[in-house]
Amino acid sequence: MRSVVRVLHVTGGNLYGGVETALVALARYRSLCPALEPQFALSFPGRFSQELGETGVAVHQLGEVRTRKPWTIWAARRRLRELLRRERFDVVICHAMWPMAIFGKAARSSSAGLAFWAHDAAAINGRHWLERWAGRVRPDLVIGNSLYTLETVPAVFPGVPSCLVHYPVKLQQPPNPSECRAAVRREMGISGDTVVVIQVSRMEAWKGHQLQLEGLSRLKSDPRWICWMVGGAQRPIEQEYMRSLQQAANELGIGERIRFLGQRSDVGKLLIAADIFSQPNKGAEPFGIVFIEALSAGLPVVTTAMGGPKEIIDDSCGMVVPPERADQLSAALRSLIDSRELRMRLGGNGPERARQLCDPAGRIADLRAALGRVARS
């Protein structure tokens, strides 16, 4: 095994979600594992490249790629090959199907080992054109962010060795959490005894916003709660979806109780100011960094029994309800709203559960060990 592994992470960079959050964490906490030296190669500038740059890690721009414009693919591949010739990397990691399809062959042409990091398990069956394209190049290793995700990968990369590496996650706590909580609540006009239910996610239907509204509408006669929905619409279809949610909240009679806060840079503070984290997914989450962040903030978590969150949330720190059951979601939320003791007990176990799963030092060391087995000289 090599003493120091130099790794190039290759990804798109045009959106910002859980994958990008995890990669920024790899860059931010890289000093915890000096034997792993990361650099990044992106196709699109934006928030992701800016946050990576702020950590001091090297970020290489490959140029914007549009699959309907083949010459942009050729140019980006050429820049990647030039980068791999110019600098010695032991491993190249393609993050998700799109980078693997676009850059896998160029990466394989170098002397570096090639890994594929599976971040999204949704509908992976090997039949989509992007999956077929990505599957033309066989990686040396498949990394999964959850057991659920790893179960789907053989449809595209049969027989490839695989391993589980949870994301490194560390919530940036303010110096005085109680003062932070009080300040955020004052800013929001929320009294100290109001129970805040919070959801933090992309504005996509499978994240379960509609089910959340249906569950909360069954509690509209209870004046003790309010709900913050955090997350901005990044694409036109998401903007339309958010408008439909606002309309649904009004039609359900809880429009004044649901606050759509949009994209926020202070999610950690909002979590500290809240009382319950609830994200009742309607589709399976590949992993769910925000669940770890909520646990780290000391919040009890409510979610549905599917995908990665089933591996994160247990009876010690939250409640898992059947999918599509607004009545059971409502019952879980009611029990937490009714009992501060229950909220404190479940929430108090959250930070240790988060540490067990996603402690940055441990998870980056796991990644280093996995990549050391496929690094090429």
Side-chain angles (χ1 to χ4, degrees), residues 297-316:
L299 296 183
V301 174
V302 180
T303 189
T304 44
M306 55 174 59
K310 285 201 304 181
E311 303 171 31
I312 297 173
I313 306 305
D314 59 22
D315 292 343
S316 73

Side-chain angles (χ1 to χ4, degrees), residues 222-341:
D222 186 339
R224 295 174 294 173
W225 64 268
I226 195 166
C227 178
W228 296 343
M229 287 194 169
V230 183
Q234 300 185 53
R235 296 172 292 184
I237 190 171
E238 294 174 5
Q239 294 170 358
E240 179 59 32
Y241 173 61
M242 187 166 69
R243 285 191 290 269
S244 72
L245 290 175
Q246 293 168 330
Q247 180 179 347
N250 290 329
E251 292 174 351
L252 289 167
I254 55 173
E256 295 183 356
R257 313 279 293 279
I258 309 297
R259 297 191 182 179
F260 293 88
L261 304 187
Q263 189 72 30
R264 301 283 297 229
S265 60
D266 58 347
V267 169
K269 292 181 179 179
L270 294 174
L271 290 171
I272 289 170
D275 299 284
I276 302 166
F277 183 87
S278 177
Q279 184 173 311
N281 286 345
K282 296 182 70 175
E285 188 90 41
F287 180 66
I289 287 178
V290 72
F291 293 92
I292 300 295
E293 293 175 334
L295 293 174
S296 296
L299 296 183
V301 174
V302 180
T303 189
T304 44
M306 55 174 59
K310 285 201 304 181
E311 303 171 31
I312 297 173
I313 306 305
D314 59 22
D315 292 343
S316 73
C317 58
M319 300 182 180
V320 179
V321 301
E324 302 285 2
R325 290 296 300 272
D327 57 338
Q328 295 199 34
L329 172 64
S330 180
L333 292 172
R334 182 186 296 278
S335 67
L336 289 167
I337 293 169
D338 284 343
S339 175
R340 183 177 184 275
E341 186 280 330

Side-chain angles (χ1 to χ4, degrees), residues 359-374:
D359 170 63
R363 301 300 76 76
I364 296 175
D366 290 345
L367 180 61
R368 162 65 182 81
L371 296 181
R373 294 192 292 269
V374 299

Side-chain angles (χ1 to χ4, degrees), residues 8-32:
L8 181 66
H9 298 269
V10 180
T11 188
N14 53 323
L15 297 176
Y16 199 100
V19 176
E20 291 71 29
T21 300
L23 295 181
V24 169
L26 283 176
R28 180 174 293 129
Y29 302 120
R30 64 190 183 279
S31 63
L32 296 174

